[in-house]
Amino acid sequence: MAPSRTSTVKSKHAANKSGIRNSKNSGKPQGDGVSKSKKPKSKGPPPKPQKSAGNLATLKKKRRVYTEKELGIPALNMITPVGVEKPKGKKKGKVFVDDRESMLTILAMVNADKDGQIESKMMKARQMEEIREARKVEAEKRQEVRKAKLDETKEGMRKKRKRPTGADEEKDTTRNEAAAGTKPLKLKKRKSVSFA
Amino acid sequence: MRPLTETETQTLFTKLANYTGTSLKNLIAPLSDDPNDRYVFRLHQSRCYYVRLSLANLATSISRDKLLSLGTCLGKFTKSGKFRLHITALPILAEHARYKVWVKANGEMPFLYGGHIVKAHVGRWSEDCPEHQGVIVYSMNDTPLGFGVTARSTQEARRLDPTGITCFRQADCGEYLRDEDTLFATS
């Protein structure tokens, strides 16, 4: 396994240098009996022209590309700092906006942006308002339920109190005393007693 | 004195659009009386002026350090590139206002002395105004007094107590007196 790998790798590089290695390992990668027979006769030449021809063609093409690239290379090979490099054919300094059309386009963009922002704000506010309303309604419902429960318990307590009758009579007597206007009588008596 | 660059124009317009509606494009509309003349924005010593082109051209005959002001000063560009509106821009903003707040007579003086607007002082306000939105402040007889930013949306402000702030002051006409020294002088 290992030698076959090395042979394949080496054969690429060594193909131009020497035909000897190729002749050794040529059996495995190429696998042609004919090529074997040919190689000993003319050691290197037959594989060389085949591969070198292809390489030469690519090299020639590459060289042509380089020559074209050379047009962009500056005459003096100097290093230019990043900030200093100036774009060709562009105005130096600030670009002013003074014509109505470009101003209108900027204004339209800005207005569209602002409208969108306001719209989203309004949507958000409405949603929040809806949520608040829903919460309010829920809270009211809960309070009503609580009140209803409280009322029920109150009524239950009242009914329980009404059952014992003796206590009511006592209460009635005290009430009568308090409400029957006994106070003026008592006051008069007291006065009379004091003067007497 | 020079025209604004693209980024400067954009920051200026975004600031103006906080307070105005789509009618802002009337600012740069050609004049009806003279088709060659129009209003332009000019930057002079970091202040932005809204001025007639003919006047701006005349102003070039005055040296930069001697030229104090021309046209209507809208505000100034800060060193970080933001734009700050001055009270002098009020007439232009008031003309194209999107949202308005009318202040009762008892709230005029507190506002003109630099206070925020409390709910008790609000006479009327534009409906459907969102939170943190630029508004122009008027007196009840429609005289523009200044501008600010809403603290609450209109619906929320209804539930606010009378002493609650509804609008944060940004500029008021009292600045003409209070900031007299710095309003027009550049240094």
Side-chain angles (χ1 to χ4, degrees):
Chain A
M1 289 293 281
S4 68
R5 272 183 194 172
T6 50
S7 67
T8 50
V9 174
K10 276 179 182 176
S11 63
K12 280 179 185 172
H13 297 285
N16 301 329
K17 289 172 186 173
S18 64
I20 303 161
R21 279 189 181 176
N22 281 334
S23 67
K24 273 184 182 176
N25 299 324
S26 59
K28 281 177 185 174
Q30 290 176 356
D32 290 334
V34 186
S35 67
K36 259 187 178 180
S37 62
K38 277 180 184 175
K39 274 176 187 174
K41 283 174 189 174
S42 56
K43 285 179 181 177
K48 265 185 187 174
Q50 281 176 359
K51 288 179 180 176
S52 63
N55 283 340
L56 275 172
T58 52
L59 276 172
K60 275 178 186 174
K61 276 180 188 171
K62 274 179 187 173
R63 270 173 199 167
R64 277 173 198 164
V65 170
Y66 286 134
T67 51
E68 281 168 6
K69 274 185 181 177
E70 273 172 20
L71 293 169
I73 293 167
L76 287 171
N77 192 15
M78 287 203 309
I79 298 162
T80 50
V82 182
V84 175
E85 211 171 313
K86 291 169 194 167
K88 284 176 186 175
K90 244 191 169 182
K91 198 194 151 196
K92 210 169 151 186
K94 294 179 181 98
V95 180
F96 298 127
V97 180
D98 207 20
D99 57 323
R100 199 170 157 258
E101 283 71 33
S102 51
M103 272 168 123
L104 272 177
T105 50
I106 291 170
L107 190 58
M109 273 165 57
V110 165
N111 263 333
D113 262 13
K114 266 280 161 315
D115 282 346
Q117 279 177 18
I118 288 171
E119 196 65 29
S120 67
K121 264 188 192 175
M122 294 298 296
M123 287 286 287
K124 216 176 176 182
R126 269 174 212 155
Q127 280 176 353
M128 292 295 284
E129 195 64 30
E130 274 176 19
I131 291 166
R132 263 181 220 140
E133 283 292 316
R135 274 185 189 167
K136 214 179 178 182
V137 169
E138 259 186 40
E140 274 176 11
K141 267 187 182 178
R142 274 182 202 164
Q143 273 211 340
E144 271 179 22
V145 170
R146 272 185 199 169
K147 256 194 176 179
K149 268 190 179 178
L150 197 76
D151 286 345
E152 271 180 27
T153 47
K154 270 183 184 173
E155 277 187 15
M157 293 291 279
R158 273 176 198 162
K159 277 175 187 172
K160 274 180 188 174
R161 275 188 184 178
K162 276 177 187 174
R163 274 176 197 169
T165 49
D168 285 343
E169 283 174 5
E170 280 176 15
K171 272 185 185 175
D172 287 339
T173 53
T174 51
R175 275 178 197 167
N176 285 333
E177 276 176 11
T182 51
K183 277 179 187 173
L185 285 169
K186 273 183 181 176
L187 281 169
K188 279 174 187 175
K189 273 179 186 175
R190 269 179 197 169
K191 271 181 185 176
S192 66
V193 168
S194 67
F195 281 113
Chain B
M1 191 175 57
R2 63 170 176 83
L4 304 182
T5 62
E6 198 166 320
T7 48
E8 283 166 346
T9 315
Q10 198 163 1
T11 44
L12 170 69
F13 281 160
T14 38
K15 199 60 153 190
L16 290 177
N18 270 337
Y19 303 88
T20 59
T22 47
S23 63
L24 191 64
K25 61 173 178 266
N26 292 336
L27 273 184
I28 46 176
L31 298 171
S32 54
D33 54 339
D34 189 359
N36 292 328
D37 206 5
R38 66 198 167 100
Y39 274 95
V40 289
F41 299 98
R42 286 284 179 270
L43 195 76
H44 176 64
Q45 289 175 343
S46 81
R47 271 155 214 266
C48 181
Y49 296 93
Y50 177 65
V51 61
R52 270 179 100 116
L53 183 63
S54 54
L55 191 68
N57 290 340
L58 282 176
T60 53
S61 59
I62 299 168
S63 63
R64 278 191 211 172
D65 52 337
K66 291 284 191 296
L67 183 63
L68 188 67
S69 173
L70 75 158
T72 310
C73 178
L74 292 181
K76 69 175 180 186
F77 281 96
T78 62
K79 291 201 171 147
S80 58
K82 288 169 188 163
F83 188 73
R84 199 146 294 173
L85 278 170
H86 282 175
I87 184 62
T88 44
L90 183 63
I92 290 164
L93 293 180
E95 214 174 319
H96 307 286
R98 189 195 286 249
Y99 295 109
K100 300 176 181 181
V101 170
W102 285 267
V103 171
K104 286 182 198 165
N106 60 347
E108 279 177 22
M109 289 321 278
F111 178 69
L112 291 177
Y113 272 96
H116 301 307
I117 301 173
V118 293
K119 194 200 166 188
H121 291 158
V122 175
R124 262 199 314 163
W125 53 44
S126 305
E127 287 297 309
D128 279 346
C129 180
E131 206 176 9
H132 308 313
Q133 171 68 39
V135 285
I136 312 292
V137 181
Y138 291 85
S139 66
M140 288 309 276
N141 53 5
D142 272 337
T143 314
L145 298 176
F147 51 87
V149 167
T150 53
R152 305 289 165 94
S153 64
T154 321
Q155 289 164 335
E156 276 180 72
R158 280 197 190 111
R159 284 195 296 271
L160 210 63
D161 58 323
T163 54
I165 293 170
T166 53
C167 177
F168 298 118
R169 182 204 75 97
Q170 284 190 324
D172 61 85
C173 281
E175 281 178 31
Y176 279 111
L177 295 179
R178 292 204 304 275
D179 298 341
E180 199 180 358
D181 299 334
T182 54
L183 199 57
F184 296 103
T186 46
S187 57

